[in-house]
Amino acid sequence: NSKDQEVDAAKSDGSKNPQVFKLISFLPTDNTLTKDIVPMWIEKVEKETNGAVKIEWTGGPESIPSKDQFDAVRNGIADIGFNVSSYYGHLMPESLSMHLSPYTPEEERENGYFEYLSKRFDKNGLVYMGRWLSPSPFHFWSNKEIKSLDDLKDTKFRSNPTYHDIMQALGMTPIDINPTDVYTSLERGMVDGFGFPLLGPNENGWTEVTKYFIDEPFLNQNATILMNPKAFKSLSSDNQQKMLELTAAFESEMITYFNELNEKERKEIEAAGVKIIKLNQEESKEFQALVKKVKWESLEKSTPDQIKELKKLLYKE
Amino acid sequence: MDWWQVLFLIVGGLIALMLIRVPVAFSFFTVNIVAAIFLWGGGNGLIQLIQSIEDSLTTFALVPIPLFILMGEIMFHTGIAPKMIDSVDKWIGRLPGRLSLLAVGSGTLLSTLTGSTMASTAVLGSTLIPEMEQRGYKKPMTIGPILGSGGLAVMIPPSALGVLLASIGKISIGAFMIAIILPGILMAFLFALYIILRAKMQPELAPKYSLSSVPLMEKIRTSIIYILPLGFIIFLVVGLIFLGIATPTEAAAMGAFGSVVLAALYGRLNWASLQKAFTSTMKVSVMILIIVAGSTAFSHILSFSGVTRNLVELIQILQFSPIIILIAMLLLVIIMGTFMESLSIMMIILPMFIPIAQILDINLLWFATMLLITIEIGAISPPFGVGLFVMKGVAPRGTKMKEIYSASFPFIALDIVLIILVFLFPELATWLPELMKN
Amino acid sequence: MLHRLSRVLDFTENVLAYIGGILLAISTITVVMEVISRYLFNYSFLWVNEISEYILLYIPFLGGAWLLRSNGHITVDILEELMSSRLRFLSDILIAIVGILICIIIVWYGTLTTFDVLYRDVRSLTTLQIPQVYVMAIIPLGTFILMLEFIRKLYRTILMKKSINKIDTITTSL
Ligand code: NA
Ligand code: NA
């Protein structure tokens, strides 16, 4: 045991010989969503481990395609991944349950969902550290004024697998459009709108050709910080603990940061000429119930063996 | 290992392999495999490489590549395109180098149909070169103008690369599409001017051939038959986008389908020509897509290993004036363009260059316009460029790469002249978008 | 025997390339269908883009060996004329060996990845839920045929050298 302590001591004596980890993110390093928040976490790690850990941000999809980053971290090509389950749900369907969590990261750490995810990620060969992007629910953006769910019927919306089933349930026509084609499709009226979180469309320039933002958030964020187990275990047990704790603390700072950013973004999209509209209470209730029904059904289809436990953890009437 | 050592080994190795005639795609794969073993950690790195190959090709944005090639091949093998060009030809007077001018003219016309340099070069090359050779035109006046005109596809909307550049660079896509129009037209004018001058100075390159005067009625008749229906294709490719019926990517399929319909209407569609068109399309598509697979992983490796990051940081460290840095950035793109493919260059440089440009307070529309022309130079700058390779694929058998290289130089120079003009007169890029706002 | 094997390889390559051409036609037709159906019937086939993407991956791997047979892959031939016939022979051998080695690695790791995808039952996140094993499998499969073509190239290069040598001996002895 004294040998272990020696090793630990050697490991934590990092100021001279820091352990360097490679970090990879699903968005480029200059994206609004990543450019401040990733350095914020890195700074925290480097400070609280007293320089024993050094993190090198090796970039985004230009370094490793977003959809491969889950496996890249699992296989140790990178050590840490900032990703969203939309890009690895095909490898780990139960990770899509994050969409359905009605809880804050802090609540998830208390009610057992964090622990559940840790186990599942561990089974997939990864260490689950925590979240990095919240709140970031999904929204509909439209060029038609939407006052009720009926107004959505028979509209054509740009979609991706996150929205497909919801749109179909609403009687809409979801269309798969390449990100680079979205602008033209909106401009030319090929689609009436699209699904996207609040942050993004303005940066992409889509707000130039979008009239309305429907202020009816649905589903929850699904962004995770994942670490390669070998890399994690190479840390002294003291530093392992520190990393987990500081990420938990980081989550609340991160939420403050994104709340401010979201507030700013609302003003910016309005300045860009996008009108923020709301559904009335009744319609909103109906909509949320429908989203919940559809998404739980599709989760049951994609991960039948996990559904019972997930319902226990996340389902709220 | 320092980043510059990695850069030297990777790029040096790649060039060495290509020079001993290992096919370009397999040179990329070889370097990727070696780099994946050392930089991505052995077996896991190679698994990542396989996934990277899969990812690079399962990209819907690339769908127009085979489709626009198919479109050109169908027009060519069913003999429609030559007829069309023949009809345009009837209207062109006794200008020196008239067939090369025709290439620029058709290139401009075609660039309103296609957003991809590769497709445009393929169509122009396969359609016009046989005609030119038959008339005794020499390579500098056949291959050169077509290589240059291929770049027009990107400079005149629709421009796939332009949309991508704007969206990655976070510039208004609409404004950018408008911004590139004037420089695009100017590019066509520069090419035309050069061709006339060169043909006057060296008439043997573009021999004059006897032109029987064509009666007006004949001109009108052939135009109605062979040029007017071009409107049908323009409608399918551009009109459907404007009417909001198809995305730019889908429009490519509509265009390919439309060319089959058109061939059928001319009564020129038969099994043999269709088979020929598909065979040629397969050949060109395989050769392009396999290189896309190779070079995409290549740029991932360059980016992941920190080579590109360090390269760009180096430019930032050298505290020169914004103008010097801007010129340095454009020069770097030209250098990268000699051995890398447009899409990869853009993927790597934009996340670094745009912030630099923002810090230096450079007008982004203006900067992006110059960047787009610069990136396009890469497609035709030796030794490696997609335009060059497509040209090799569609040029007559026996055409040497060396001949293609030497034909490209004057047009690279003209592109650089255009960049200098846009550099000196930013209004070329900024005037139209300003006008649109008011 | 070798001759027969060689003909089987020719046939396989032709069939694969033919399939590639058919897939290209399918890609065109399905996209056209999607546009028409969406415009006229307000119905979108959500699988069209996905299918076209897979076809993009299939095309080069179906046609790679077929194109190599006719030396159709893009090559930088800038030094070709400067090479002596001996140097050209050596570089031809080297190219074939490099090709074979690359293919062995891609086939091996492609197979590993394919089995990994099969074992983890990875499916696309779309309505089609296509098992990704069908997508990935074309990489080792197409590369395997490519490897056979490189082996044939190596064999033919050596054979040609032998026959040239023979002619050389004959002419010098005359
Ligand atoms: Na164009
Ligand atoms: Na080049």
Side-chain angles (χ1 to χ4, degrees):
Chain A
N1 221 346
S2 70
K3 209 171 186 181
D4 277 2
Q5 275 169 2
E6 258 174 50
V7 173
D8 270 10
K11 277 177 179 172
S12 46
D13 177 29
S15 40
K16 283 177 215 144
N17 241 337
Q19 273 175 280
V20 182
F21 292 131
K22 287 195 160 113
L23 186 151
I24 188 103
S25 56
F26 88 106
L27 288 169
T29 53
D30 67 335
N31 189 282
T32 313
L33 293 181
T34 47
K35 72 174 178 213
D36 296 326
I37 209 72
V38 177
M40 218 162 105
W41 186 79
I42 292 177
E43 209 171 284
K44 212 170 165 70
V45 169
E46 291 180 351
K47 201 178 127 210
E48 303 206 1
T49 56
N50 296 317
V53 176
K54 211 177 154 331
I55 289 170
E56 188 191 328
W57 191 2
T58 55
E62 76 282 3
S63 290
I64 291 177
S66 311
K67 158 167 132 23
D68 296 341
Q69 290 184 5
F70 185 86
D71 275 359
V73 175
R74 191 183 76 142
N75 295 338
I77 290 167
D79 303 298
I80 297 159
F82 274 56
N83 207 339
V84 289
S85 70
S86 314
Y87 282 107
Y88 57 76
H90 60 296
L91 299 167
M92 185 184 160
E94 66 268 34
S95 67
L96 293 170
S97 64
M98 281 184 262
H99 280 321
L100 286 159
S101 165
Y103 303 107
T104 65
E106 202 183 348
E107 288 167 333
E108 285 176 359
R109 282 174 189 268
E110 282 156 14
N111 70 10
Y113 185 53
F114 180 88
E115 204 180 324
Y116 166 82
L117 283 179
S118 297
K119 268 190 213 146
R120 297 307 301 174
F121 277 114
D122 183 60
K123 206 160 182 280
N124 278 276
L126 285 155
V127 179
Y128 174 49
M129 314 283 290
R131 305 298 188 95
W132 64 271
L133 167 60
S134 184
S136 176
F138 300 98
H139 285 274
F140 285 148
W141 301 67
S142 156
N143 274 325
K144 260 190 182 170
E145 193 170 358
I146 305 294
K147 288 182 187 131
S148 70
L149 295 187
D150 265 353
D151 291 337
L152 283 170
K153 268 207 181 88
D154 294 325
T155 53
K156 294 174 187 163
F157 266 53
R158 188 258 174 165
S159 178
N160 66 36
T162 305
Y163 308 94
H164 282 347
D165 39 11
I166 297 173
M167 289 185 183
Q168 274 164 339
L170 284 163
M172 302 160 71
T173 306
I175 302 173
D176 220 337
I177 294 173
N178 203 53
T180 53
D181 283 348
V182 174
Y183 184 95
T184 320
S185 309
L186 285 164
E187 188 188 32
R188 304 316 319 165
M190 200 197 103
V191 288
D192 304 304
F194 57 94
F196 217 90
L198 172 63
L199 295 165
N202 201 33
E203 193 173 3
N204 295 340
W206 300 351
T207 45
E208 287 169 27
V209 284
T210 307
K211 291 202 185 98
Y212 301 101
F213 171 77
I214 300 155
D215 196 6
E216 182 64 45
F218 56 96
L219 301 177
N220 206 345
Q221 54 90 20
N222 57 340
T224 52
I225 305 173
L226 300 172
M227 195 163 170
N228 176 276
K230 242 195 200 155
F232 187 73
K233 279 180 198 132
S234 75
L235 289 164
S236 69
S237 53
D238 186 34
N239 279 335
Q240 289 179 12
Q241 197 55 36
K242 268 186 194 161
M243 290 278 279
L244 291 171
E245 277 166 14
L246 71 87
T247 305
F250 161 82
E251 281 176 344
S252 61
E253 289 165 36
M254 170 273 290
I255 287 171
T256 316
Y257 167 83
F258 277 109
N259 274 328
E260 275 168 30
L261 198 61
N262 288 340
E263 213 38 61
K264 224 175 84 195
E265 186 74 358
R266 276 171 177 274
K267 289 193 188 104
E268 267 174 35
I269 65 167
E270 276 187 304
V274 178
K275 207 173 152 197
I276 298 177
I277 53 177
K278 267 180 172 315
L279 292 178
N280 68 38
Q281 217 171 8
E282 205 175 305
E283 295 278 337
S284 158
K285 231 171 147 184
E286 193 187 330
F287 174 74
Q288 295 297 343
L290 181 130
V291 169
K292 201 161 141 188
K293 182 173 160 287
V294 168
K295 277 293 163 189
W296 274 107
E297 273 171 13
S298 70
L299 192 64
E300 183 157 12
K301 234 195 289 171
S302 56
T303 175
D305 57 322
Q306 296 293 314
I307 198 72
K308 226 171 131 187
E309 193 163 359
L310 284 169
K311 279 216 162 157
K312 213 168 70 195
L313 286 165
L314 298 177
Y315 200 83
K316 261 209 266 190
E317 275 311 324
Chain B
M1 212 171 4
D2 280 334
W3 66 271
W4 56 270
Q5 286 170 312
V6 177
L7 176 72
F8 182 79
L9 280 176
I10 288 181
V11 176
L14 184 72
I15 290 174
L17 283 166
M18 290 185 184
L19 286 182
I20 62 162
R21 297 182 301 135
V22 175
V24 173
F26 304 117
S27 303
F28 271 119
F29 281 127
T30 311
V31 170
N32 290 347
I33 286 171
V34 174
I37 291 172
F38 287 103
L39 300 171
W40 280 349
N44 285 330
L46 291 170
I47 287 176
Q48 173 55 42
L49 186 66
I50 300 289
Q51 288 181 336
S52 177
I53 293 170
E54 192 248 5
D55 272 336
S56 62
L57 290 174
T58 51
T59 306
F60 198 63
L62 299 179
V63 169
I65 294 172
L67 294 180
F68 278 130
I69 293 165
L70 180 62
M71 202 170 144
E73 294 292 345
I74 285 172
M75 295 218 251
F76 173 52
H77 285 285
T78 55
I80 300 171
K83 288 268 177 200
M84 279 176 186
I85 287 155
D86 229 38
S87 322
V88 179
D89 199 39
K90 290 196 165 73
W91 290 96
I92 299 185
R94 291 171 178 277
L95 285 167
R98 58 194 305 280
L99 275 180
S100 309
L101 288 177
L102 185 60
V104 176
S106 318
T108 313
L109 196 70
L110 201 67
S111 65
T112 63
L113 301 183
T114 161
S116 125
T117 301
M118 289 188 252
S120 190
T121 308
V123 172
L124 285 174
S126 56
T127 317
L128 280 171
I129 288 182
E131 293 280 314
M132 293 168 142
E133 299 254 311
Q134 204 188 321
R135 308 272 197 204
Y137 273 52
K138 300 292 177 301
K139 297 245 151 56
M141 289 303 255
T142 59
I143 289 171
I146 290 171
L147 278 178
S149 303
L152 286 171
V154 161
M155 291 308 294
I156 290 173
S159 165
L161 209 59
V163 170
L164 203 61
L165 200 162
S167 71
I168 299 176
K170 291 173 297 264
I171 308 158
S172 151
I173 298 168
F176 189 54
M177 290 295 104
I178 304 287
I180 58 178
I181 290 177
L182 279 184
I185 293 172
L186 188 58
M187 186 191 266
F189 268 106
L190 285 175
F191 291 166
L193 198 67
Y194 164 79
I195 288 165
I196 293 175
L197 287 176
R198 179 121 195 229
K200 269 209 161 137
M201 277 154 49
Q202 290 172 283
E204 73 277 8
L205 291 180
K208 281 197 174 153
Y209 47 90
S210 60
L211 275 174
S212 49
S213 69
V214 184
L216 185 67
M217 277 316 286
E218 169 65 10
K219 285 182 187 173
I220 292 172
R221 195 186 64 86
T222 55
S223 296
I224 287 173
I225 298 174
Y226 290 110
I227 296 180
L228 210 60
L230 198 67
F232 169 64
I233 304 286
I234 296 185
F235 170 77
L236 286 177
V237 178
V238 184
L240 291 185
I241 300 172
F242 266 81
L243 292 176
I245 295 172
T247 64
T249 316
E250 290 169 335
M254 298 303 280
F257 181 69
S259 61
V260 175
V261 172
L262 201 62
L265 290 177
Y266 282 125
R268 287 171 165 274
L269 192 67
N270 54 53
W271 186 241
S273 57
L274 208 56
Q275 214 169 8
K276 267 189 206 153
F278 270 92
T279 306
S280 310
T281 308
M282 267 301 281
K283 280 196 171 153
V284 182
S285 303
V286 169
M287 105 183 36
I288 293 170
L289 291 174
I290 207 158
I291 289 176
V292 169
S295 65
T296 308
F298 179 73
S299 63
H300 289 158
I301 286 165
L302 277 185
S303 177
F304 187 83
S305 62
V307 166
T308 36
R309 199 157 21 102
N310 283 296
L311 208 61
V312 171
E313 268 168 21
L314 192 69
I315 292 180
Q316 275 174 290
I317 290 166
L318 309 168
Q319 284 195 335
F320 292 125
S321 76
I323 296 299
I324 299 286
I325 294 177
L326 191 144
I327 292 170
M329 286 194 280
L330 294 178
L331 275 178
L332 181 63
V333 174
I334 289 181
I335 292 166
M336 288 172 88
T338 58
F339 61 92
M340 283 177 79
E341 159 269 336
S342 313
L343 215 71
S344 309
I345 298 175
M346 257 172 54
M347 286 288 283
I348 292 167
I349 59 152
L350 285 183
M352 330 278 176
F353 277 19
I354 298 293
I356 296 177
Q358 275 168 334
I359 289 165
L360 302 177
D361 216 17
I362 295 171
N363 181 312
L364 285 184
L365 272 180
W366 175 58
F367 178 58
T369 305
M370 289 188 288
L371 210 52
L372 188 63
I373 308 168
T374 318
I375 288 171
E376 262 315 288
I377 290 178
I380 62 167
S381 63
F384 319 120
V386 164
L388 300 167
F389 298 147
V390 172
M391 181 52 73
K392 178 83 200 294
V394 295
R397 275 192 93 84
T399 304
K400 293 279 172 217
M401 211 62 206
K402 219 166 64 182
E403 296 173 304
I404 297 178
Y405 286 170
S406 54
S408 72
F409 285 119
F411 288 84
I412 295 169
L414 290 170
D415 283 342
I416 292 174
V417 168
L418 177 64
I419 296 171
I420 294 171
L421 286 174
V422 176
F423 183 83
L424 294 177
F425 307 103
E427 294 79 16
L428 281 170
T430 56
W431 181 63
L432 273 185
E434 288 292 329
L435 205 68
M436 188 178 65
K437 272 188 205 155
N438 304 329
Chain C
M1 178 63 192
L2 274 176
H3 185 65
R4 283 234 350 234
L5 275 179
S6 180
R7 276 177 58 188
V8 170
L9 184 59
D10 279 346
F11 179 76
T12 313
E13 286 169 354
N14 292 347
V15 169
L16 293 185
Y18 213 88
I19 294 173
I22 291 170
L23 290 179
L24 187 64
I26 290 176
S27 173
T28 313
I29 293 164
T30 50
V31 175
V32 169
M33 220 171 70
E34 156 75 12
V35 173
I36 292 172
S37 148
R38 201 174 56 218
Y39 183 66
L40 292 181
F41 311 111
N42 207 15
Y43 184 82
S44 173
F45 304 98
L46 283 170
W47 45 267
V48 166
N49 280 17
E50 196 183 342
I51 293 290
S52 294
E53 286 177 1
Y54 299 152
I55 288 175
L56 273 186
L57 177 69
Y58 265 68
I59 286 174
F61 283 94
L62 285 174
W66 168 74
L67 193 64
L68 183 64
R69 188 173 78 208
S70 55
N71 290 324
H73 284 285
I74 290 159
T75 308
V76 178
D77 56 7
I78 192 162
L79 290 185
E80 191 171 1
E81 286 165 25
L82 299 174
M83 288 178 167
S84 66
S85 68
R86 192 178 154 69
L87 204 60
R88 205 178 297 178
F89 166 75
L90 286 176
S91 85
D92 278 345
I93 298 263
L94 187 68
I95 292 163
I97 290 174
V98 166
I100 293 167
L101 288 177
I102 300 169
C103 288
I104 289 174
I105 291 173
I106 296 180
V107 168
W108 177 249
Y109 284 94
T111 309
L112 284 185
T113 312
T114 306
F115 275 105
D116 180 54
V117 160
L118 175 71
Y119 173 72
R120 288 155 89 191
D121 191 25
V122 178
R123 285 157 190 275
S124 62
L125 280 174
T126 53
T127 32
L128 277 188
Q129 297 208 328
I130 290 190
Q132 293 300 293
V133 60
Y134 298 130
V135 181
M136 204 53 100
I138 192 62
I139 296 178
L141 215 83
T143 313
F144 180 72
I145 307 296
L146 193 65
M147 181 188 72
L148 295 182
E149 185 56 53
F150 269 121
I151 291 174
R152 180 160 71 179
K153 280 239 164 336
L154 181 65
Y155 177 74
R156 282 192 175 158
T157 308
I158 294 168
L159 206 69
M160 206 134 83
K161 178 75 179 171
K162 267 190 187 156
S163 64
I164 288 173
N165 281 349
K166 223 184 250 164
I167 294 167
D168 279 354
T169 359
I170 294 166
T171 41
T172 40
S173 65
L174 283 173

